[in-house]
Structures are given as C-alpha cells and as structure tokens.
C-alpha cells in the first residue's frame, strides 16, 4: 500500500530536470563563508565570564596618544567583568580603555586580567595595569584559550624545537604547565592542517588539546593524561568543553555528550563551531543569524533587531546571557549586543566597536584571520 | 586529489538526486535549486571537517532538510506560497476525473504540498529516499520518535485529503518501522 505514495514521489521527481550547479559559484560562496566565519565568529573558543554591567570608569589614556608598552601601564587595572573588545592597539573594557602599545592580534579576558598577542607573536599579560611578555606563539594563527571564571590561559608555544602546550595562571603570574611530550617539529598549529598540534580548550583544571595521541585531556594539577578521541584529526574535532560536557564535531554536525562515544548529535546544528554555555545547558552555533539551542534541540529565540544582516553569538556572559556581534552590512562597524536567554530580548552594548580588520573580540583568535 | 576536485566529483555525481529530493520537499523547481545551492555551499565549507567524504551526501541531505524547514518556518512560506487551485477533497466535491490514475496522483501531490514542512520532509525522506527512521531522524535533526509522529500525522492528513481514495496510502499503523 505504500507503493502508491512511493510511485508518486518517484514519478514526480523523474519529471523535472535540473542543471548541474556551477562549481565556481559554489566554491566561491563556500570560501567566502569560511572566511566570514574565521573572521567574525568565535571559532570554538571560549571567553571569560563577564557580567553585562555598564561600569563607568575613567579611561587610562588620552585619545590620540600612543604610549609604548613600557609607559602604557596604568595604576588602575582594567575591569574584567564587563564587555571587552580591542580596536587596533586599544583594549576596551566597558567604558575603560588602555593603549597597549601594540596592535592586538588576538586576546582573551580572564577574571584576573587579559592576555593579548601582538603581530610578532609575543604573548602579553595585562594584569593590574602592568603589561608583561609571558610567551610566544606562531602568528597570524595565534590561538589563545581560557575558561569562564578562570585565571588560566593556554596557547601553543613555538619557542622550542617542537611545539609546546603552555598554560599560564594570571593570578600566580607564572606558567603552570608546559607539555611537548607528544608533538613533533613537523606539526603545524592551524586547525585545518593535516596532523596539527592544536589547543582545543580549557575547562576548569583540565586542558584539552590535539597531539600525536589524538584529542587528549590533561589534568593541569598533576599532568595526568587521558585520550578522549584517538581518531581526532585536526583542530575542528572538538568544538568546546564546558563543565565536563564536550561538543564534538562529527559527520552529522555538532555532537554533545560526556564522551566521544556517548555524544549525540545536537538536532539541526551543522555549523562547525560555536560555544557551549558555562553550565553546558545550551549551545550557540556560529550561525549567520544569532541563535541558541537547548541541548535537547529546543531552539531558544533571540530577538536580534531585523536590520542586522549578520549576527552571531560569540560568548556567554553567564548561563542566561549571551553576547552577540552584529553587522548591518558587510562594511559596517560591528555592534555588540547582549541578549537574555529567558526573554530573548537584546540590547545594544557597544555601538560601532570596529570594522573588519580592526576589531578583535575576546575569543582568542584573530578576527578576519 | 584537491578539496575542489573531491567536491566537484561529489557535485557531479549527486546533485541530480539531491535536487530531486529537494523538489519533492518544497514542490517548486526554482526553490529546490536555491535550496540545493545553499546546502552545497554549506557542504563545501564543511568539507575539511568531514571525516569520511563518503558521508558528504548525508551531510548535504541534512543541510537540505533542515534548511528547508528553517526557510519555511522563518518565512511562514507555507502560508504565502502559491498552490495549485484546490478542489474540495474528502468533504466536498470530487475533483474532475478523480478515478483517473493521473488525477489521483495530482490530487495526492497537492495534498503532499499542503502538509506542514516537517511532515512533508519526513515523508519524502522515508518514502522517496527510503531512509530508515534513524537515518531520517539524523537528516531532520530530531528524535526518532518525532519522525514516527511526523510521518504518522502526515499520512493521516493525506488519507483525509484523499477521502474515498484513502486506501491508496499506507495505514498509519502499517508505516514500515526499521
């Protein structure tokens, strides 16, 4: 009895002809999409917890001044619980700002301060008004990782003969882990390279990276290693980790769970990067229009104003609040919004934070890179 | 073989089948082309992340299905789209030549296009693509139970639409479960 329906569908389908799609058009559009995502999206990175409070603090420099790094240190620390962004060499934190004296290639925000990479690959900490060089990483592919409510920052160091995974504690002012036990000089550091050494994420006291063993979890307190996915091929296999919950990327899109084996597809989420909420109750994919999904696949509506042609969640302020980058057109200066998960309401946080090539957000990677 | 070469091989080999499935889901040739184009762009962008290139078709099919549902949901398109004039069905006058096989097919086609997008997608994936319930759930990005309920509800609506010719369709409890 099902044959009638099957016959109908096959007959109807056979009645229509379609031209073969133009491969050049597809490849151009696909490449453009990849570039846009690399440029405007939090690529699997997490940023620091920051409450959407509009603190009014005095600026630490004068507009137009460009102090060098040695003189950029102020007596006041930049707040770490507000929205942050960088534009050129100026790091903004709420209404406060400081000129770091170097172009900010990428940065992250922690509860103890900021870490930024300059165009030469020097990794700097910005803590209590003091700027210090704390390491070196390859550029322009610099990739910093941190966690919510954390003082830890991780990166792939290129200072030795082989790449080394480094974790630095801003509260201590020193490194807490350096590991090159399973990397080789031949390994690249880009997510989409063949066989890269790649720092996926920090979650609590655990660092996640890819080395010769696949995707591994390393306990920062005792350097104990466990392999979580021996088949991990590159920097895209593990999208995010929060509160012990993994967001992997598989053939059917994002898969979430407590292990590679138990992870299940997140219904309808095929974007290859995104961010879990701090308590891993929701996931924000790097969609072309900002959206959030419950881990059961229930969409959480966000009322981003309709005049933005592009918007995407780039960080979670807390488990009920996201921050969104939004553009009114390709060439517009980006606005930063905050949106409530419970109501879906969005408010403008920063009007015109910067254009492509200028603006950097606390996602640990270079926007537009 | 470069990424572009691999993708070109995939497009050449599979775009026809993908277009046909998309057409059945949306009932409009131009829209089906737009839908497949969008899905292929997504597939190309995701190409480096696909562990097994043999799964590209499943990935693309999922992109077609979820994008179609998303478009319909976003644009309330099911309420805006032009449909062929509908004579009344089970509750009214029979269409002209109702006993004619061609007319039956046309009548069934019209009924299919009137289904909500998720029900239509579920039926196309199950009865045209011949996917299992598990595969259909993966393609739709939903639970297996949702597939069962969507197919069941869709078939029930089609039976209602067909009126006296309802036995042309499977009874909902006879829907093949795999």
């Amino acid at each position: 009895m099902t044959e009638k329906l099957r016959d109908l569908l096959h007959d109807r389908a056979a009645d229509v002809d379609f031209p073969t799609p133009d491969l050049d058009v597809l490849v151009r559009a696909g490449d453009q999409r990849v570039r846009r995502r690399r440029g405007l999206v939090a690529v699997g990175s997490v940023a620091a917890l920051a409450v959407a409070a509009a603190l009014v603090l005095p600026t630490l420099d004068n507009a137009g001044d460009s102090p060098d790094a040695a003189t950029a240190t102020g007596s006041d620390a930049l707040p770490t619980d507000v929205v942050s962004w960088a534009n050129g060499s100026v790091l903004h934190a709420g209404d406060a700002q400081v000129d770091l004296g170097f172009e900010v290639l990428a940065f992250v925000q922690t509860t103890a301060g900021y870490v930024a990479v300059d165009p030469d690959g020097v990794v700097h900490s910005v803590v209590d008004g003091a700027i210090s060089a704390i390491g070196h990483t390859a550029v322009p592919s610099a990739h910093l990782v941190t966690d919510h409510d954390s003082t830890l920052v991780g990166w792939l160091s290129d200072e030795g003969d082989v790449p080394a995974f480094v974790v630095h504690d801003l509260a201590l002012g020193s490194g807490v882990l350096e590991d090159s036990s399973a990397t080789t000089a031949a390994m690249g550091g880009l997510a989409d390279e063949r066989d890269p050494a790649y720092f996926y994420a920090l979650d609590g006291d655990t660092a996640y990276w890819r080395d010769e063993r696949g995707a591994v979890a390393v306990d920062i307190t005792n350097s104990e290693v466990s392999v979580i996915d021996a088949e991990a091929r590159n920097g895209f296999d593990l999208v995010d980790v929060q509160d012990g919950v993994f967001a992997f990327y598989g053939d059917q899109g994002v898969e979430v769970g407590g292990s590679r084996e138990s992870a299940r597809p997140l219904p309808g989420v095929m974007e290859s990067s995104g961010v879990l909420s701090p308590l891993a109750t929701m996931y924000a994919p790097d969609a072309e229009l900002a959206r959030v999904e419950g881990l059961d696949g229930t969409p959480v509506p966000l009322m981003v104003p309709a005049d933005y042609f592009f918007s995407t969640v780039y960080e979670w302020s807390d488990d009920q609040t996201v921050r969104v980058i939004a553009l009114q057109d390709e060439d517009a200066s980006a606005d930063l919004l905050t949106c409530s998960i419970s109501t879906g309401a969005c408010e403008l946080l920063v009007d015109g934070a910067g254009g492509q090539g200028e603006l950097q957000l606390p996602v640990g990677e270079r926007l537009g890179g | 073989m470069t990424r572009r070469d691999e993708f070109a091989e995939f497009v050449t080999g599979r775009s026809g089948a993908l277009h046909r499935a998309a057409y059945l889901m949306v009932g409009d040739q131009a829209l089906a082309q737009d839908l497949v184009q969008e899905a292929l762009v997504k597939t190309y962008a995701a190409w480096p992340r696909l562990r097994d290139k043999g799964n590209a078709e499943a990935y693309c099919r999922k992109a077609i299905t979820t994008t179609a549902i998303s478009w319909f949901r976003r644009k309330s398109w099911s309420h805006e789209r032009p449909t062929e004039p509908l004579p009344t069905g089970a509750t009214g006058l029979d269409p002209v030549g109702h006993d004619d096989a061609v007319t039956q097919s046309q009548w069934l086609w019209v009924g299919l296009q009137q289904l909500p997008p998720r029900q239509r997608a579920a039926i196309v994936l199950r009865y045209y693509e011949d996917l299992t319930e598990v595969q259909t759930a993966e393609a739709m990005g939903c639970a297996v139970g949702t597939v069962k309920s969507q197919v069941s509800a869709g078939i029930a609506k089609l039976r209602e639409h067909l009126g006296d010719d309802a036995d042309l369709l499977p009874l909902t409890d006879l829907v093949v479960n795999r």
Side-chain angles (χ1 to χ4, degrees), chain A residues 65-92:
Chain A
D65 287 350
S66 295
D68 60 33
T71 60
T73 59
S75 57
D76 297 325
L78 283 176
T80 58
D81 57 352
V82 293
V83 62
S84 65
W85 71 101
N87 204 324
S89 62
V90 178
L91 180 60
H92 298 261

Side-chain angles (χ1 to χ4, degrees), chain B:
Chain B
M1 187 180 274
T2 66
R3 170 185 177 187
R4 184 190 168 98
D5 291 341
E6 289 177 340
F7 183 67
E9 192 174 82
F10 169 69
V11 170
T12 303
R14 301 308 304 157
S15 68
L18 294 167
H19 268 121
R20 287 190 287 275
Y23 170 67
L24 294 175
M25 285 184 197
V26 299
D28 180 282
Q29 203 162 343
L31 190 61
Q33 282 182 257
D34 290 347
L35 193 57
V36 171
Q37 169 129 341
E38 171 69 13
L40 286 172
V41 168
K42 286 181 177 176
T43 304
Y44 180 75
W47 202 260
R49 300 148 182 99
L50 291 171
R51 286 168 180 246
D52 180 358
K53 297 299 181 281
N55 285 333
E57 183 166 357
Y59 182 96
C60 194
R61 188 190 293 122
K62 181 170 185 172
I64 289 171
T65 306
T66 55
T67 304
I69 292 170
S70 165
W71 282 3
F72 278 99
R73 188 188 293 154
R74 194 184 301 172
K75 299 173 183 172
S76 298
W77 196 69
S78 56
H79 299 298
E80 296 172 4
R81 61 196 305 222
T83 53
E84 297 166 55
L86 262 188
T88 52
T91 57
L93 297 172
D94 284 346
V96 177
H98 189 222
D99 55 347
D100 177 78
V102 174
T103 308
Q104 284 174 350
S105 290
Q106 180 64 14
W107 189 237
L108 184 55
W109 174 249
V110 171
L112 184 69
Q113 296 309 306
Q114 288 186 322
L115 294 180
R118 290 175 72 83
Q119 291 177 14
R120 198 160 60 240
I123 284 175
V124 169
L125 292 171
R126 291 282 285 129
Y127 291 98
Y128 175 72
E129 297 275 27
D130 218 20
L131 301 187
T132 66
E133 287 179 337
V134 171
Q135 290 168 330
T136 303
E138 285 175 359
M140 292 179 63
C142 66
V144 172
T146 306
V147 170
K148 290 181 180 180
S149 62
Q150 294 291 325
V151 170
S152 177
I155 295 291
K157 281 186 186 170
L158 285 177
R159 289 177 64 83
E160 185 182 339
H161 174 77
L162 287 171
D164 293 342
D165 286 336
D167 59 353
L168 291 170
L169 289 183
L171 294 169
T172 52
D173 58 352
L174 290 180
V175 171
V176 180
N177 292 321
R178 287 181 289 175

Side-chain angles (χ1 to χ4, degrees), chain A residues 1 4 6 8 12-13 17-18 23-25 31 33 229 231 233 236-237 249 251-252 267 270 272, chain B residues 4 8 19-20 29 37-38 44 48-49 51 55 58-59 62 66 105-106 108-109 127 130 141 168:
Chain A
M1 288 202 285
K4 182 68 182 175
R6 284 202 167 92
L8 163 79
R12 279 284 172 172
D17 288 320
F18 293 94
L23 191 66
D24 289 336
V25 170
D31 285 339
R33 191 157 305 188
D229 182 6
E231 303 298 316
R233 295 176 316 155
F236 293 115
D237 288 273
Y249 194 82
D251 285 343
Q252 294 298 313
M270 291 177 299
S272 54
Chain B
R4 184 190 168 98
H19 268 121
R20 287 190 287 275
Q29 203 162 343
Q37 169 129 341
E38 171 69 13
Y44 180 75
R49 300 148 182 99
R51 286 168 180 246
N55 285 333
Y59 182 96
K62 181 170 185 172
T66 55
S105 290
Q106 180 64 14
L108 184 55
W109 174 249
Y127 291 98
D130 218 20
L168 291 170

